[in-house]
Amino acid sequence: MAAGSARIVRYILFAFFGIMVLYFMSSSSIPRPQLPTTSDLKGNLGKTHTGHSAGDVQAPPPLSVEKVAGAPDAASAPALTSSKQSNDGPAETVAEASGERMNATFVTLARNSDLWEIVKSIRQVEDRFNRKFHYDWVFLNDKPFDTTFKNVTTSLISGKTHYGLIPEEHWSFPEHIDTDKARRVREDMAQRKIIYGDSISYRHMCRFESGFFFQHPLMQQFEWYWRVEPSIELYCDIDYDTFKYMRDRNKKYSFVLSLYEYVETIPTLWDSVKTFRDNHPEHIAKDNGMQFLSDDGGETYNHCHFWSNFEIGNLNWLRSQAYTDYFNQLDKDGGFFYERWGDAPIHSIAAGLLLKKDEIHFFNDIAYYHVPFTHCPTGEQYRLDRKCHCNPKDNFDWKGYSCTSRFFDMNKIEKPAGYKDQQD
């Protein structure tokens, strides 16, 4: 009987203790996590970009960067911290780049069919650079972008995205072009197996990139651009603002790769350039980069050019009267269609003649690949410091078909240690 009474007392004490523990837990001041409601989840999903017209602007999807209401714009904020939410883990705090934000954008000429190649480039640019700076991205197309293209690209880009339609007059034969003559040229080049020799669209692209991309209404709001093409790779971290670097050092044009142009595609280009030079001597800069372009003081062209699938440059220079007069002369002469002038030699010759040579910059630290050439910085410690993953044996800079040595010689820049080991 006594043993039974003792057991009952113990049960009562255990029950009382349990009730007291539950009471203190329920009245504790530590907040308990709240599960999101269904409406909360729906509100955080990225909206489908339907019904967009050409020239539309898209902000990044809400899940990519969570912005605090009432916070200053990135353009005015000296420093920002944002929270990126992963679907399979806790929020990751990312320290944003501090300092002045430049009036700059990435720009890409692409078609809807290029989507899965351009997303590779976007990931490279975002991971190596733009996740720290959140610059905008302009996409241009001769046909309207479809919803899938907009949705996918917007989801990957940390800045705002803009989608524009190229005006028909910038992607067609000008009135002064004899289309029958142009057709015969394409047929001849096809027989001679000249790369893109029979392509009409390639010629429209080269003409557009040479004289019109910077005039597009979406581009008018910007002062600086970084051109990005599908299927490129960036091999090293870029931890500083390249646009600000250009501005602070009075640079107007930049490159990472240079090489010789196919002679068969530009037989009369230099004749047109000399006509422009003779008609507009006021536009030719003193202390220019002619030494990069010519071995005889400008009488002939050595075919060197900066490879324009990568460019960081100043849009106001391209909109200048000097460049406008230059492009108009070349466009009038018809070489985009009667030959196969590329935008790379067009931009390069303009930079070499219209800019001072010290206004052109070589971005050695932007390790870059566009089929089939690679720029991989020379110097092991240099690559280690920037977390590069390129193979230095692939570096094109010092090969025989590269013109980068000419740029170093023209500017009296000392070549990096070990460059001879990478020569042919």
Side-chain angles (χ1 to χ4, degrees), residues 37-54:
T37 65
T38 304
S39 60
D40 291 334
L41 291 174
K42 288 182 178 178
N44 278 331
L45 291 176
K47 295 181 179 179
T48 303
H49 311 301
T50 58
H52 296 313
S53 61

Side-chain angles (χ1 to χ4, degrees), residues 25 113 140 178 188 355 378:
M25 287 180 63
S113 58
L140 302 174
D178 182 339
D188 173 67
L355 299 177
T378 304

Side-chain angles (χ1 to χ4, degrees), residues 67-73:
K67 296 184 179 177
V68 179
D73 240 9

Side-chain angles (χ1 to χ4, degrees), residues 55-94:
D56 201 4
V57 179
Q58 300 301 319
L63 283 180
S64 65
V65 179
E66 182 182 312
K67 296 184 179 177
V68 179
D73 240 9
S76 58
L80 296 174
T81 300
S82 67
S83 177
K84 294 199 174 183
Q85 182 70 49
S86 169
N87 289 331
D88 55 1
E92 176 188 2
T93 300
V94 181

Side-chain angles (χ1 to χ4, degrees), residues 203-236:
R203 287 172 166 83
H204 289 325
M205 181 274 290
C206 290
R207 181 171 177 259
F208 177 77
E209 294 281 21
S210 296
F212 301 118
F213 86 90
F214 47 86
Q215 297 181 15
H216 193 280
L218 286 179
M219 297 295 292
Q220 290 292 339
Q221 61 189 301
F222 298 107
E223 184 180 355
W224 298 91
Y225 75 100
W226 179 334
R227 177 171 164 180
V228 179
E229 294 202 353
S231 302
I232 62 103
E233 291 191 54
L234 294 180
Y235 293 117
C236 301

Side-chain angles (χ1 to χ4, degrees), residues 146-167:
D146 60 33
T147 301
T148 300
F149 189 100
K150 292 180 180 180
N151 285 346
V152 174
T153 53
T154 296
S155 72
L156 295 174
I157 294 169
S158 58
K160 292 181 180 179
T161 53
H162 311 254
Y163 302 90
L165 185 65
I166 297 171

